[in-house]
Amino acid sequence: MASSKTTEDLQAAALWYHRQPRPGKLEIRAVKPLANQRDLALAYTPGVAAACNAISADPGQAANYTVRGNLVAVVTNGTAVLGLGNIGPLAAKPVMEGKAVLFKKFADIDVFDIELNADTVERVVETVAALEPTFGGINLEDIKGPECFEIEAQLKERMKIPVFHDDQHGTAIIVGAAVKNALLLKGKKLSEVKIVASGAGAAALACLNLLVSLGADRKNIWVSDLEGVVYQGRTKLMDRWKAVYAQQTDKRTLAEVIGGADIFLGLSGPNVLSADMVKEMADKPLVMALANPTPEIMPEAVRQARPDAMICTGRSDFPNQVNNVLCFPYIFRGALDVGATAINEEMKIAAVEAIAQLARDPPADPASAGFDSEGGLGFGPGSLIPSPFDSRLILRIAPAVARAAMDSGVATRPISNFDDYYAQLERFAFRSGLVMKPLFAKAKAEPMRVIYADGEEERVLLAVQVILEEKLAQPILVGRPAVVEAQIKKTGLSIRAGVDFDLVNPQDDPRYRSYVQSYISIAGRAGVTPAAARTVVRTNSTVIAALAVARGEADAMICGLDGRFMNHLRHVRDVIGSRPGVSDYAALALMITSKGAIFIADTQVRPNPTAEELAEIAALAAVHVQRFNIKPKIAFLSHSDFGSYTTESALKMRRATAILAERHPEIEADGEMQGDSALVQRAREMILPHSRLEGGANVLIMPNLDTANVAYQMIKVLGDALPVGPILIGPARPAHILTPSVSPRGILNMTAVAVVEAQERAGRHQPNMFG
């Protein structure tokens, strides 16, 4: 369990996150130019009348001329917000903004969050129904039961767009997928199993209803709530939706009905299910303890009582997290893309099947998949459902839902070519801002030892707090204990030296003499005298970190927050050296932009590389890019576009392209070309229709340091891009030199990069090169 101090840290960080650099999590941006009088005439009067008339003549054209076809309303009245209860619509707004961000990030769906000051079914229904001309879909959120059932039912009846109460159906779909896969491992049919549910709210009843649609038998379903077992004749805390599951029985408690249960479905509260109850369940039981943050029973208690049990929770720190983000963005994506008039049972079942199948399929990248804690990697008791950050979710769920909508007759704009549709989704999946997620997943699978040379820096300590919470790495800090402790206290962090992380004290470390000897042995022929070595090992934290990596006491290092890049580079070169066959280091910068991930090299090290060196940089960059589960597409940039100039620089880039093609024909690359030709396929095809590059390039190899660094800095500022790096390529062991402007988030991202590289160097997994 998290300590009170950790909880306070998270709350303070969350408030800062919501407040800075501007309040809230959303903004509205124009997507069309408005730069001159003609733009104004097209956007507003008189040109807008053409779009108005087209829609008036054919309402279906609204999807072509307005944002409506990609716009969802996230609606709440604030009566059941998370675990906070009836806190009202205004206090619910941060949650609704968060839901809007998830829609946009995961499925590129635009959202208006709408918080209603409406506490009756009639008022909510009338208000939401009146919004139908504005939206392509309605996502109801955090509305208490049983009113939520009636609100959804009435809106579905009145509106001709999808209405989806995610608290009900999102949870139900993930539960359905987990149940299908658990029973596959158990070797039993859904119609045969006994299901016992704790909780009879909106989510629990929706789960049971969907399980019945999937084949469960109502007579095998037992429900318990605050008043005990739901039985025929009970009057207290009953409603018509709950009454469907009333049993003819004299049993009144959960303990009395749990015996022989194949599935426990918990959507109630903490510590409802005891270990003794779990012992009474059937062989290979599925225990779904989904109360959050404290489940009905903790997983370790289940494992101790029943080692054969399969376990799901609602928490991200355990396997099999039932998380609605696994489905709701992609269900709406599929529904919107075919202009569905509803999200029906067929579409929900299609989503269940797609999610369940994805969990059974081999992982796209085994190293980033969740480890099955019950026996290996991949599908199994510990991996019944996919990770919420599996990039294939949109590629599986959206088409399945779209097909189901078409087959069930609710699609108004059927998809004619699913290959094209899949290609559109695939392009989004790799430009959705989730570029770092595969590396975080890989890093968490086996955290490695990362030493931070700037351990006294506040930004490092802030990053280490999150690194520990996320279990990304085993941190080692170089720093004076008193200074580090003072910084921790000043920043209000809960981490402790010697407990949460190791500390190397440069002024008094028992390994000092052996470090000096190591430094002399490594760098003595580079002009380092014994006297200088003794001083450096006391004073230079970059050298200390590099020595720790060289001696095998750390797996990777991060430095560079203070001082010049080239000074740090010299020390890393002296101590760690280069990989065999690599002529020199280079720096690869990742820019995460709204249009996708762009890698630029070399931004820091080689002033004017030769053609051979550029080909080497490109090949090394490709290895790093592949770690992000991104297929490298390399463009050698120039002022020349496929022979339009014959300057020395253009010829160099042309030779570099040829050298890479000869040495690494498996890498997709072309050049020399201008920037627009690299990034836009249509522009490239106008110059050279048969380029070896397909689509937009994601790795830009620049002719010299000036162009690379200028391009990097300009994209960072003008493109509002998130920079990651620089990623140092070429050292014998993982070592990365950051820049003084790096943020705690940048340190966190580079930690994941360093850990994954260290895993590969240690032989934990190998990249699936250029596949």
Side-chain angles (χ1 to χ4, degrees):
M1 295 296 294
S3 68
S4 59
K5 178 60 178 171
T6 301
T7 302
E8 291 173 9
D9 292 339
L10 183 61
Q11 289 174 346
L15 291 174
W16 188 93
Y17 174 89
H18 282 80
R19 187 174 61 249
Q20 299 292 339
R22 54 189 290 185
K25 299 189 281 282
L26 301 172
E27 69 176 1
I28 294 175
R29 278 190 186 181
V31 296
K32 299 293 172 64
L34 197 62
N36 52 46
Q37 190 66 34
R38 178 169 174 77
D39 289 344
L40 182 61
L42 294 172
Y44 198 52
T45 184
V48 72
C52 294
N53 288 331
I55 295 169
S56 178
D58 177 6
Q61 292 299 317
N64 294 325
Y65 297 122
T66 76
V67 74
R68 183 176 186 262
N70 194 53
L71 186 62
V72 167
V74 173
V75 181
T76 190
N77 64 359
T79 53
V81 181
L82 301 177
L84 304 174
N86 188 355
I87 61 174
L90 184 59
K93 188 171 180 63
V95 180
M96 301 308 114
E97 286 188 359
K99 199 65 178 277
V101 170
L102 295 178
F103 267 109
K104 188 64 177 178
K105 286 291 186 182
F106 284 92
D108 201 22
I109 293 172
D110 296 309
V111 166
F112 289 156
D113 63 291
I114 297 177
E115 294 75 32
L116 300 177
N117 190 11
D119 55 6
T120 65
V121 170
E122 293 74 18
R123 193 171 179 191
V124 172
V125 169
E126 288 300 325
T127 305
V128 176
L131 297 172
E132 184 167 349
T134 303
F135 297 100
I138 304 292
N139 186 91
L140 299 173
E141 191 78 16
D142 291 351
I143 301 173
K144 72 181 179 73
E147 289 90 338
C148 60
F149 297 116
E150 192 62 46
I151 288 169
E152 185 188 37
Q154 290 190 31
L155 288 174
K156 281 185 170 181
E157 183 68 26
R158 292 180 57 169
M159 303 182 81
K160 298 303 180 186
I161 58 175
V163 177
F164 188 80
H165 186 201
D166 184 46
D167 296 329
Q168 293 182 53
H169 308 300
T171 303
I173 287 164
I174 308 306
V175 164
V179 166
K180 283 186 70 71
N181 282 341
L183 294 184
L184 185 66
L185 295 172
K186 184 180 173 75
K188 206 168 183 179
K189 295 180 180 178
L190 185 55
S191 59
E192 302 169 347
V193 301
K194 178 180 178 180
I195 302 170
V196 175
S198 173
L205 294 178
C207 289
L208 296 176
N209 292 341
L210 185 58
L211 290 175
V212 169
S213 295
L214 291 168
D217 193 330
R218 269 198 178 88
K219 71 182 181 186
N220 294 333
I221 297 175
W222 297 75
V223 178
S224 176
D225 62 8
L226 290 172
E227 286 297 314
V229 171
V230 174
Y231 60 90
Q232 291 182 15
R234 197 182 104 174
T235 58
K236 194 170 183 180
L237 284 183
M238 289 296 289
D239 55 57
R240 63 187 177 94
W241 297 279
K242 191 186 302 184
V244 170
Y245 295 101
Q247 292 275 13
Q248 182 66 51
T249 181
D250 58 359
K251 297 177 180 179
R252 296 294 183 264
T253 67
L254 178 63
E256 291 179 275
V257 299
I258 196 69
D262 298 281
I263 298 169
F264 170 79
L265 175 62
L267 284 153
S268 52
N271 307 316
V272 168
L273 187 68
S274 70
D276 287 338
M277 293 184 201
V278 175
K279 290 177 181 177
E280 295 181 24
M281 294 180 70
D283 290 342
K284 296 183 180 177
L286 172 62
V287 177
M288 308 192 78
L290 306 183
N292 218 343
T294 306
E296 287 79 1
I297 184 170
M298 294 300 290
E300 53 265 31
V302 176
R303 291 190 194 97
Q304 188 171 2
R306 290 293 299 273
D308 63 332
M310 295 171 276
I311 310 164
C312 296
T313 72
R315 290 172 43 152
S316 61
D317 52 348
F318 295 110
N320 292 325
Q321 183 194 14
V322 175
N323 188 331
N324 291 4
V325 79
L326 271 165
C327 69
F328 74 80
Y330 317 120
I331 289 172
F332 270 97
R333 180 74 277 155
L336 292 173
D337 289 340
V338 294
T341 57
I343 293 176
N344 57 27
E345 208 70 5
E346 292 88 343
M347 294 159 75
K348 289 188 285 184
I349 290 173
V352 170
E353 298 287 354
I355 294 167
Q357 183 60 55
L358 181 56
R360 296 194 295 269
D361 287 348
D365 181 355
S368 66
F371 278 90
D372 172 14
S373 61
E374 308 300 331
L377 181 66
F379 177 59
S383 301
L384 298 173
I385 45 183
S387 160
F389 297 109
D390 192 318
S391 60
R392 297 172 297 171
L393 284 165
I394 192 171
L395 305 178
R396 300 294 185 85
I397 299 173
V401 169
R403 285 186 187 277
M406 291 164 57
D407 293 344
S408 60
V410 298
T412 62
R413 298 191 304 275
I415 293 170
S416 58
N417 188 323
F418 268 89
D419 288 340
D420 289 347
Y421 180 54
Y422 187 89
Q424 293 171 18
L425 296 175
E426 191 172 40
R427 283 194 292 272
F428 168 73
F430 292 103
R431 65 173 178 85
S432 61
L434 301 175
V435 174
M436 290 301 302
K437 294 303 177 182
L439 266 78
F440 276 80
K442 293 177 186 179
K444 288 182 180 182
E446 187 175 0
M448 307 293 279
R449 301 166 300 170
V450 178
I451 186 165
Y452 301 84
D454 302 288
E456 298 176 358
E457 247 276 0
E458 180 180 305
R459 288 169 292 169
V460 170
L461 294 169
L462 288 166
V464 165
Q465 174 85 47
V466 181
I467 288 161
L468 289 166
E469 290 172 359
E470 295 290 321
K471 300 181 175 63
L472 284 178
Q474 301 172 39
I476 305 168
L477 273 59
V478 180
R480 295 162 291 177
V483 177
V484 171
E485 183 61 33
Q487 286 282 49
I488 289 173
K489 186 175 181 180
K490 172 189 170 186
T491 316
L493 302 176
S494 61
I495 55 177
R496 293 174 294 167
V499 177
D500 300 304
F501 60 88
D502 291 333
L503 188 63
V504 178
N505 179 4
Q507 294 182 338
D508 184 21
D509 191 279
R511 295 165 293 187
Y512 169 70
R513 291 182 182 277
S514 62
Y515 267 49
V516 170
Q517 291 303 314
S518 295
Y519 190 38
I520 294 170
S521 175
I522 293 169
R525 293 185 181 273
V528 177
T529 66
R534 287 191 290 271
T535 301
V536 168
V537 176
R538 284 276 193 222
T539 60
N540 193 303
S541 60
T542 295
V543 170
I544 294 170
L547 286 168
V549 173
R551 288 160 56 96
E553 295 169 5
D555 302 303
M557 68 170 284
I558 290 177
C559 65
L561 276 72
D562 181 38
R564 294 187 179 276
F565 185 94
M566 295 307 293
N567 290 338
H568 295 286
L569 183 69
R570 177 168 53 84
H571 294 307
V572 172
R573 269 199 189 109
D574 288 346
V575 176
I576 291 180
S578 299
R579 297 191 69 170
V582 174
S583 63
D584 195 4
Y585 295 172
L588 178 69
L590 164 59
M591 310 299 293
I592 302 176
T593 76
S594 60
K595 296 185 180 297
I598 300 293
F599 296 83
I600 303 174
D602 166 19
T603 57
Q604 300 286 345
V605 180
R606 307 193 198 191
N608 189 21
T610 65
E612 289 76 13
E613 288 175 329
L614 288 167
E616 177 184 83
I617 291 170
L620 293 171
V623 175
H624 279 277
V625 172
Q626 198 274 339
R627 292 189 180 115
F628 291 82
N629 287 0
I630 296 173
K631 181 180 179 180
K633 294 173 177 287
I634 298 176
F636 290 86
L637 293 197
S638 173
H639 64 285
S640 174
D641 225 1
F642 298 110
S644 61
Y645 285 84
T646 57
T647 60
E648 182 180 349
S649 174
L651 293 174
K652 178 177 76 170
M653 300 310 286
R654 199 178 307 170
R655 286 197 304 273
T657 304
I659 292 168
L660 182 69
E662 180 182 351
R663 295 177 181 174
H664 294 282
E666 73 278 11
I667 301 178
E668 188 176 326
D670 210 340
E672 84 286 8
M673 68 180 79
Q674 294 179 358
D676 59 342
S677 297
L679 298 173
V680 182
Q681 180 167 337
R682 183 174 298 178
R684 185 167 62 253
E685 288 175 344
M686 293 176 66
I687 305 298
L688 186 71
H690 305 296
S691 168
R692 292 192 294 272
L693 199 61
E694 294 184 7
N698 52 32
V699 183
L700 308 181
I701 304 298
M702 300 292 188
N704 55 47
L705 184 58
D706 286 343
T707 53
N709 195 273
V710 168
Y712 164 69
Q713 300 293 350
M714 292 185 69
I715 293 172
K716 183 171 68 172
V717 176
L718 299 179
D720 195 23
L722 172 67
V724 178
I727 301 168
L728 194 62
I729 55 181
R733 299 189 182 185
H736 298 287
I737 306 167
L738 307 186
T739 57
S741 62
V742 69
S743 67
R745 182 180 181 182
I747 298 168
L748 178 71
N749 286 336
M750 279 307 299
T751 297
V753 171
V755 168
V756 173
E757 183 181 2
Q759 289 172 345
E760 290 184 8
R761 297 290 187 93
R764 302 295 192 267
H765 56 83
Q766 294 298 322
N768 178 20
M769 288 299 296
F770 319 130

